[in-house]
Amino acid sequence: MTTSMADARRDQLEQYLQNVTVDPKMLRSDVFVDFLKLVQLDTFSITTKKSSVDVFLPDGRSIQVEILTSDTAERVLEMVSHEIGLCRELLGYFGLFLIQFCKEGKFSVVKKLADFELPYVSLRSSEEANCKVGLRKWYLDPSLDSMLMDCRAAVDLIYMQAIQDIEKGWTKPTPAQRQKLEALQKEDNQTQFLELSRDVQHYGYVQLDPCTCDYLEPGCGAIVSVGNNEISCCITLPDNQTQDVIFQMNRVKSWQITFLGTLLDMDGPQRTLNQNLELRVQYSKDSRSQWFVIYTKQAFLLSSCLKKMISEKMVKLVAENPEMQIEVPEQAKSKKYHIQQSQKDYSSFLPRKSKIKVEKVDCVFGTIKEEDL
């Protein structure tokens, strides 16, 4: 086998694994999950043994749980929920995230850990410094708060996260709203605090690190926030003026992730690659399809958020139309619904087609059908 043939085979396998790991049918297969666990352990030469992991809550406290190095994120989440008294039936509303803690109290959500990922391995293999495992809510429709209000532990978690998001500037209250929220926080009135928070701009959104995009003009700086069925971008133009642009999810037709790489070392047996990512979004405007590109290392997190919003929209469709049936793996893993009408949503991952910087790529899509959401 030639070097080019080996590279092509490696790229095809990489794309295949990226696609199958978001297939809900595959993720319910014990055989497939065991295979993914073994791959993670073998890749980083880690054996199965007893260990512990600290899981950080939004208020900065941590819970240490005794685990096996081969325990999945799903299993660790179950153990943490038991420690804090979180109702088991509400686990689908929360998730474990790899979070990078920076100077001056700032942090960056690197990615959501998939159910099959091994937190122990993810922590030790992360290329980002000062990473920890954090527990955060995992839904982007603020109205879903109402589903958690009967569980004390769940309310505590979303209350702590609401305070944290305001402190970090992800949620943006007006001066009047901030004053009322501070008063409610002093009273420890969690219910009213959360009710008022739902009226605040970007409540419950996920905010990415500062990045760049090609919307309006190439190379513009952007702050991207995702939630409540929209992609909100605060774009900085070359003259330092800012413009807020919102893309509603019902206008988004597809998206794709592309690896961009620059070869750092061409000598020796191990070639090293400086990886960058871009996420291309296709959306409709004035009956025409257009694309815009976001260049961010959090492209996979952004893609997960887009899929999550589509999943939540489908759940609402089922509630409004009982005769429709659709499978919704994230919120109700043990239940199946079926849908008779067709709605197409697309996403895909493009492989590293070469080990040099990629400027242009062909648009290649893998369809995500309703049953895959």
Side-chain angles (χ1 to χ4, degrees):
M1 182 181 293
T2 65
T3 301
S4 60
M5 291 172 63
D7 285 342
R9 182 175 181 180
R10 186 180 299 108
D11 287 340
Q12 291 170 3
L13 179 60
E14 179 183 78
Q15 187 176 18
Y16 170 77
L17 288 175
Q18 289 168 347
N19 287 326
V20 297
T21 54
V22 295
D23 186 327
K25 294 185 178 66
M26 297 297 288
L27 296 181
R28 282 194 296 273
S29 166
D30 291 338
V31 173
F32 186 68
V33 171
D34 286 343
F35 164 73
L36 290 176
K37 289 167 59 176
L38 184 61
V39 167
Q40 293 172 79
L41 292 170
D42 286 352
T43 299
F44 299 100
S45 301
I46 296 175
T47 58
T48 298
K49 61 182 179 181
K50 291 183 179 180
S51 185
S52 64
V53 64
D54 292 322
V55 177
F56 284 78
L57 305 180
D59 65 353
R61 292 180 296 137
S62 65
I63 296 176
Q64 186 177 83
V65 290
E66 301 299 321
I67 65 167
L68 295 175
T69 55
S70 58
D71 280 337
T72 63
E74 182 178 32
R75 173 59 181 153
V76 175
L77 178 60
E78 291 174 351
M79 289 188 281
V80 173
S81 67
H82 177 74
E83 290 289 330
I84 64 178
L86 178 63
C87 300
R88 187 178 180 84
E89 58 269 22
L90 299 180
L91 284 181
Y93 294 95
F94 295 90
L96 296 182
F97 294 79
L98 194 63
I99 300 176
Q100 182 182 26
F101 287 81
C102 310
K103 296 179 180 180
E104 300 176 355
K106 296 182 179 180
F107 70 88
S108 168
V109 178
V110 178
K111 66 173 182 176
K112 180 189 179 294
L113 296 179
D115 285 350
F116 63 82
E117 286 191 70
L118 311 183
Y120 181 92
V121 176
S122 296
L123 282 172
R124 279 149 185 79
S125 62
S126 175
E127 296 180 355
E128 306 293 340
N130 301 319
C131 279
K132 301 176 182 178
V133 175
L135 174 62
R136 295 177 61 85
K137 68 181 184 182
W138 181 227
Y139 56 89
L140 295 166
D141 181 352
S143 68
L144 292 177
D145 279 0
S146 61
M147 305 296 293
L148 312 180
M149 301 309 290
D150 292 333
C151 176
R152 180 75 265 166
V155 173
D156 286 342
L157 286 172
I158 61 175
Y159 174 68
M160 288 186 288
Q161 184 170 328
I163 293 174
Q164 182 189 57
D165 288 352
I166 292 174
E167 292 175 347
K168 305 303 181 187
W170 289 18
T171 304
K172 300 170 174 61
T174 64
Q177 288 174 327
R178 185 181 294 274
Q179 185 176 10
K180 291 179 181 179
L181 288 169
E182 288 175 350
L184 292 171
Q185 185 180 349
K186 289 180 180 179
E187 298 172 5
D188 198 27
N189 192 328
Q190 297 182 350
T191 301
Q192 290 190 24
F193 184 96
L194 291 170
E195 289 177 357
L196 177 58
S197 294
R198 285 193 283 274
D199 296 327
V200 175
Q201 183 185 20
H202 291 177
Y203 169 73
Y205 285 43
V206 173
Q207 180 173 302
L208 305 186
D209 296 343
C211 57
T212 58
C213 69
D214 72 346
Y215 189 76
L216 299 179
E217 294 185 38
C220 289
I223 300 295
V224 179
S225 301
V226 190
N228 202 18
N229 213 34
E230 68 180 26
I231 307 170
S232 177
C233 303
C234 180
I235 298 174
T236 302
L237 301 172
D239 60 3
N240 288 327
Q241 292 187 0
T242 59
Q243 182 173 338
D244 292 325
V245 180
I246 294 177
F247 300 93
Q248 297 292 337
M249 282 301 294
N250 57 13
R251 291 172 51 197
V252 173
K253 300 178 65 177
S254 63
W255 67 89
Q256 64 187 35
I257 294 174
T258 306
F259 289 91
L260 305 178
T262 304
L263 194 62
L264 299 179
D265 181 13
M266 297 184 66
D267 300 322
Q270 291 278 336
R271 291 180 296 174
T272 58
L273 190 68
N274 181 23
Q275 291 187 9
N276 294 294
L277 298 171
E278 69 174 24
L279 186 139
R280 294 173 173 263
V281 180
Q282 184 185 29
Y283 67 101
S284 59
K285 182 179 182 181
D286 300 328
S287 301
R288 294 184 297 115
S289 292
Q290 299 185 19
W291 289 85
F292 77 94
V293 184
I294 300 172
Y295 302 93
T296 171
K297 65 181 182 180
Q298 296 166 295
F300 286 103
L301 173 65
L302 178 55
S303 179
S304 296
C305 291
L306 300 184
K307 291 176 185 177
K308 189 67 175 178
M309 288 191 289
I310 291 175
S311 176
E312 291 171 356
K313 181 178 69 173
M314 292 300 177
V315 172
K316 281 192 172 182
L317 284 175
V318 171
E320 294 169 359
N321 302 276
E323 71 280 2
M324 298 166 59
Q325 297 182 1
I326 179 171
E327 186 174 349
V328 186
E330 291 187 328
Q331 294 285 9
K333 296 182 180 178
S334 62
K335 298 180 181 179
K336 281 191 177 181
Y337 307 86
H338 297 278
I339 192 167
Q340 297 176 350
Q341 67 185 54
S342 174
Q343 176 184 345
K344 291 185 178 179
D345 295 290
Y346 306 89
S347 73
S348 70
F349 308 99
L350 298 185
R352 305 183 195 93
K353 293 192 175 180
S354 66
K355 299 299 185 284
I356 60 174
K357 186 175 181 181
V358 178
E359 296 294 346
K360 291 185 178 180
V361 293
D362 294 331
C363 300
V364 181
F365 298 102
T367 303
I368 295 182
K369 301 177 182 178
E370 288 83 3
E371 62 265 30
D372 298 330
L373 294 171

